[in-house]
Amino acid sequence: MRPRFLLAGLVTALFLNTSPAHAQAGQVPSSVRTELEKVRQDVWVAWFNNDQKRMNEIIAPELIAISAEDDNWQTKPGTMQSAAGFVQGGGKLIKVEFPHTDIQLYGDVAILYSRYVVEYQVGDKTMKDAGRATEVFVKKNGRWIHPGWHLDAGPAGQ
């Protein structure tokens, strides 16, 4: 085989058989993983504490949010109102944990697949929710914003 055809064949094979490392869940740079996990934690804590300022910074105006317990999809105004209602009804966050998270990164778009466990108090009653979350984050103007999520009532956070 001629060298230039061999080289062309190798380049073509590499191009066709190589997927970008950043597109694989295990290949997300640790600094990006840390950024995403922090902003994800921030938005959950902000919701449970009704931190309207922080939610407004993170949650995208075009939010679509799907929850296991609600047939209606939420928009940003509805999500902000539900956070206010939680706190006004006596709700207090005890803890939120994400025992397992996989991340897919495609340029400025990240998808986080997680198991979550949330413990909170309403009045004198302590409650625990657990399930799975699929959350989308988009990097815009140098910061991650949150345009959508889907929560379900999956296994108890294992």
Side-chain angles (χ1 to χ4, degrees):
M1 198 171 199
R2 293 182 150 163
R4 74 173 184 219
F5 293 120
L6 178 61
L7 180 59
L10 286 172
V11 170
T12 301
L14 285 172
F15 179 74
L16 293 176
N17 293 321
T18 302
S19 62
H22 66 272
Q24 297 178 16
Q27 300 298 318
V28 176
S30 63
S31 61
V32 174
R33 174 178 275 281
T34 300
E35 269 184 78
L36 286 163
E37 288 177 344
K38 180 181 182 336
V39 76
R40 188 252 324 260
Q41 182 82 17
D42 284 356
V43 76
W44 282 67
V45 170
W47 188 91
F48 279 97
N49 290 326
N50 189 31
D51 183 343
Q52 296 280 317
K53 181 179 184 285
R54 187 66 178 132
M55 284 189 297
N56 214 24
E57 293 170 354
I58 300 171
I59 297 174
E62 59 277 356
L63 174 74
I64 297 174
I66 302 170
S67 298
E69 69 277 350
D70 192 349
D71 287 337
N72 298 313
W73 295 1
Q74 287 287 335
T75 61
K76 184 174 182 173
T79 298
M80 305 287 275
Q81 288 173 350
S82 66
F86 174 76
V87 170
Q88 289 167 358
K92 293 181 183 177
L93 177 65
I94 297 171
K95 69 178 176 180
V96 58
E97 297 175 338
F98 302 93
H100 180 85
T101 299
D102 284 326
I103 300 173
Q104 291 177 315
L105 184 63
Y106 300 94
D108 289 339
V109 176
I111 306 164
L112 280 67
Y113 304 91
S114 307
R115 293 196 187 278
Y116 67 88
V117 179
V118 178
E119 194 172 331
Y120 57 95
Q121 188 173 353
V122 177
D124 59 355
K125 187 175 181 181
T126 299
M127 293 179 259
K128 187 176 184 177
D129 286 338
R132 296 174 292 209
T134 302
E135 299 179 88
V136 177
F137 290 86
V138 177
K139 196 159 206 177
K140 189 173 182 182
N141 298 325
R143 62 184 184 87
W144 291 103
I145 61 170
H146 203 358
W149 62 77
H150 183 187
L151 308 178
D152 73 21
Q158 285 115 30

